[in-house]
Amino acid sequence: MRGAVLHAPGDIRVEDRPDPRIEKPSDAIIRLAATCVCGSDLWPYRGIEEVSGPAPMGHEYVGIVEEVGSDVRNVKPGQFVVGSFFASDNTCEICQAGYQSRCVHAELVGAIGTQAEYARIPLADGTLVATPELPSDDLVPSLLAASDVLGTGWFGAVAADVQPGKTVAVVGDGAVGLLGVLAAKQLGAERIVVFSRHESRQQLAREFGATDIVTTRGDEGVAEIKELTNGLGAHSVIEAVGTQEAMMQAIRATRPGGHVGYVGVSHDVSLPGDELFFSEVHLHGGPAPVRRFLPDLIQLICDRTIDPGRVFDLTLPLDQAAEGYRAMDERRAIKTLLTV
Ligand SMILES: [Zn+2]
């Protein structure tokens, strides 16, 4: 099969990879309907995360089940399925509590690499959720978004305790931040403020439900949020970047008693204890347990209540994955969908 492989920073090649096979009775093999490039793929692409040898890339996926192992009961060949970037059994105590991304048997799908024609999905019964029927082609981008960026933005909003009638701020205008806006809107937030300096992203944020745009960041951005909230700060802040600056901006933009939901993959963030102590905010986040939300998100997409697939503003064939990475790296694209 064909698949994207990162050889060195900036060097993505689509090449022949071995066809995946059932390795354990709990595995399934899927034929990808579409795949995509994640903001987190840019960390190794930019050389910020080390790459040791050629690495298969991709952890977002939707597709048709081709084959299942002998223990798989919940999905069958021919079904259209959505899964998350952590395979999980969905039965252990941690999964049952809704934290499937930290399942005691969790396996990282990124190590398998789903920017490819086929993929082996471990723990298929716990990981994969089938759609009620085969979706029409125009729903595929939204279902693919549910696999990671929508589920992650949604968890950011839930972790930030977004409630009806409240004010939410979103730090980060990438796909996850924008879908955090969509999630906040669905969860009933009254005012949704997004930090963004990019015209096209501001426009999509507004279409997803943002009521205010703040173009400054850092302490200036915090001062603007305070101005919008009678000096108090937002009730809920979604942090969707993962840098020191973004995390501190999120904490400082939150009112005492408020909640920060942090879902940007943390890179060298360290929090000052004294400031944290006196901020009196709740902090919750981490790798999103997307599996917790998948059944509801699939329903909202199939009912056409939400259209998260709009974050894909570039579509290319898998063979042009290298250009898909470049476009995101240069911020010419919010998110690249790869057709298979
Ligand atoms: Zn589990």
Side-chain angles (χ1 to χ4, degrees):
M1 69 166 184
R2 305 285 289 164
V5 177
L6 182 66
H7 285 262
D11 182 8
I12 283 278
R13 301 179 209 166
V14 176
E15 55 194 34
D16 287 327
R17 289 184 48 204
D19 288 335
R21 289 178 300 110
I22 299 282
E23 293 175 13
K24 290 185 188 160
S26 50
D27 288 347
I29 305 296
I30 64 166
R31 175 163 47 86
L32 278 289
T35 182
C36 53
V37 183
C38 185
S40 65
D41 294 331
L42 296 180
W43 294 98
Y45 180 81
R46 289 171 171 157
I48 297 167
E49 264 172 31
E50 207 176 322
V51 187
S52 54
M57 295 295 287
H59 54 262
E60 297 157 285
Y61 56 98
V62 291
I64 302 281
V65 178
E66 284 272 306
E67 192 187 347
V68 296
S70 56
D71 285 353
V72 175
R73 298 284 174 273
N74 298 346
V75 294
K76 53 178 196 278
Q79 282 184 316
F80 188 99
V81 290
V82 186
S84 163
F85 48 89
F86 271 112
S88 54
D89 59 22
N90 210 31
T91 54
C92 75
E93 255 185 75
I94 305 296
C95 282
Q96 288 298 299
Y99 289 87
Q100 290 91 339
S101 44
R102 296 301 313 278
C103 172
V104 299
H105 297 118
E107 285 188 50
L108 206 46
V109 177
I112 290 166
T114 60
Q115 288 161 7
E117 291 177 285
Y118 295 89
R120 180 182 67 86
I121 306 300
L123 302 171
D125 269 346
T127 305
L128 297 173
V129 180
T131 55
E133 52 194 46
L134 287 183
S136 59
D137 287 349
D138 67 322
L139 290 177
V140 170
S142 286
L143 291 164
L144 179 60
S147 172
D148 180 354
V149 281
L150 173 62
T152 296
W154 201 278
F155 175 58
V158 169
D161 194 39
V162 170
Q163 299 283 343
K166 304 290 187 186
T167 295
V168 180
V170 181
V171 180
D173 64 358
V176 170
L178 292 169
L179 292 171
V181 170
L182 180 151
K185 172 79 178 170
Q186 287 295 311
L187 293 168
E190 181 173 301
R191 193 162 197 189
I192 304 171
V193 186
V194 63
F195 291 98
S196 174
R197 298 171 166 184
H198 301 85
E199 187 92 29
S200 60
R201 295 166 190 239
Q202 293 171 1
Q203 194 183 328
L204 193 50
R206 283 197 189 279
E207 289 170 32
F208 282 156
T211 54
D212 300 82
I213 309 283
V214 171
T215 56
T216 52
R217 58 172 76 166
D219 290 343
E220 264 184 284
V222 170
E224 280 205 53
I225 290 283
K226 293 258 169 95
E227 225 166 273
L228 292 170
T229 53
N230 300 320
L232 302 177
H235 297 94
S236 299
V237 179
I238 300 169
E239 192 285 316
V241 182
T243 62
Q244 180 73 22
E245 185 191 28
M247 193 68 181
M248 293 315 299
Q249 186 178 330
I251 291 169
R252 291 170 182 158
T254 308
R255 66 177 59 191
H259 294 71
V260 177
Y262 58 98
V263 290
V265 179
S266 186
H267 282 82
D268 295 324
V269 173
S270 69
L271 302 179
D274 51 348
E275 185 174 348
L276 202 55
F277 184 77
F278 286 103
S279 72
E280 209 128 16
V281 301
H282 302 74
L283 293 181
H284 185 33
V290 173
R291 177 64 182 81
R292 188 205 306 179
F293 307 108
L294 274 182
D296 289 343
L297 298 180
I298 288 171
Q299 194 65 52
L300 289 169
I301 291 165
C302 290
D303 292 347
R304 298 182 186 272
T305 305
I306 58 173
D307 191 6
R310 299 189 54 216
V311 293
F312 294 107
D313 55 352
L314 178 63
T315 297
L316 293 170
L318 173 65
D319 270 324
Q320 291 175 35
E323 167 56 17
Y325 275 76
R326 245 189 327 269
M328 282 176 64
D329 180 41
E330 294 166 7
R331 292 180 77 87
R332 285 183 280 121
I334 299 172
K335 194 166 174 68
T336 306
L337 183 141
L338 300 170
T339 56
V340 180

